[in-house]
Amino acid sequence: MSSLPATSAEDVFDEPLRVQLEVFLDEHRRALGGCLDGLTEEQVRRSLVPSRTTLLGLLKHATFVEKVWFDEAISCRPRADIGIPASPDESFVLDDEDTIATVREAHREACESARRATAPLGLDDLVLGNRRGPLPLRWVYLHMLRELAQHGGHADILREQLLAD
């Protein structure tokens, strides 16, 4: 998933808040991607709930969210220029060319891009490209942790259902 060492949240008790937030983000990113491990293309596309939510769709959506918060919000570029859907709901839609490998690679690239985009910023620096208005990077990190934790929980439940079949 990442070219960074797999540092655990348990390893950063005494590190600055920025380091802690980034390690927690990377843990959640890895966990969400890991929910696809050992599954078939058919399994990760299988719909088990009434919504568009599938395991592969969750990782594709997480890629969208990375780009919304770490490209659109920071660069102020419109979604069409970034090449992402206009709405979160559309980000779950799987195309024929979406595979475990292609969606994982897109997610890995989005995460690396997010790290590059945030590297020069401080936690109190404002990002200006979100509909809510200016937000400090600290808030964006916390929001992303919430997103990733929520979707990681969804992925855990879907994976459990798939493995029970």
Side-chain angles (χ1 to χ4, degrees):
M1 154 76 224
S2 165
S3 57
L4 298 176
T7 304
S8 160
E10 303 302 319
D11 300 328
V12 295
F13 287 123
D14 297 323
E15 296 294 327
L17 177 61
R18 170 77 177 252
V19 172
Q20 292 176 350
L21 290 170
E22 290 174 351
V23 166
F24 272 73
L25 278 170
D26 280 336
E27 273 193 347
H28 282 285
R29 289 165 170 155
R30 280 191 303 274
L32 186 56
C35 283
L36 304 179
D37 291 349
L39 299 176
T40 67
E41 296 290 342
E42 184 276 327
Q43 286 174 311
V44 299
R45 287 175 162 275
R46 193 178 303 164
S47 179
L48 301 169
V49 294
S51 70
R52 292 180 170 166
T53 305
T54 63
L55 275 176
L56 193 60
L58 279 169
L59 192 59
K60 188 172 181 179
H61 171 72
T63 303
F64 164 83
V65 172
E66 293 280 346
K67 291 180 179 186
V68 165
W69 286 105
F70 298 119
D71 190 336
E72 180 184 31
I74 292 174
S75 73
C76 300
R77 294 188 315 150
R79 291 179 184 187
D81 289 356
I82 296 168
I84 58 175
S87 74
D89 190 48
E90 294 171 77
S91 71
F92 285 91
V93 175
L94 297 173
D95 301 319
D96 290 341
E97 60 272 3
D98 289 327
T99 66
I100 293 169
T102 62
V103 172
R104 274 187 164 157
E105 179 61 17
H107 185 247
R108 184 194 63 74
E109 289 173 2
C111 293
E112 286 184 8
S113 179
R115 288 184 202 96
R116 285 190 304 274
T118 58
L121 303 176
L123 289 177
D124 294 323
D125 287 348
L126 298 179
V127 300
L128 306 175
N130 186 266
R131 63 181 169 79
R132 291 171 180 86
L135 296 165
L137 181 62
R138 161 189 331 269
W139 189 93
V140 172
Y141 276 7
L142 291 170
H143 177 74
M144 281 299 297
L145 282 170
R146 177 174 59 190
E147 278 272 335
L148 291 168
Q150 178 182 14
H151 294 315
H154 295 149
D156 287 342
I157 291 167
L158 292 177
R159 182 178 172 84
E160 182 179 324
Q161 288 179 309
L162 287 168
L163 294 176
D165 285 344

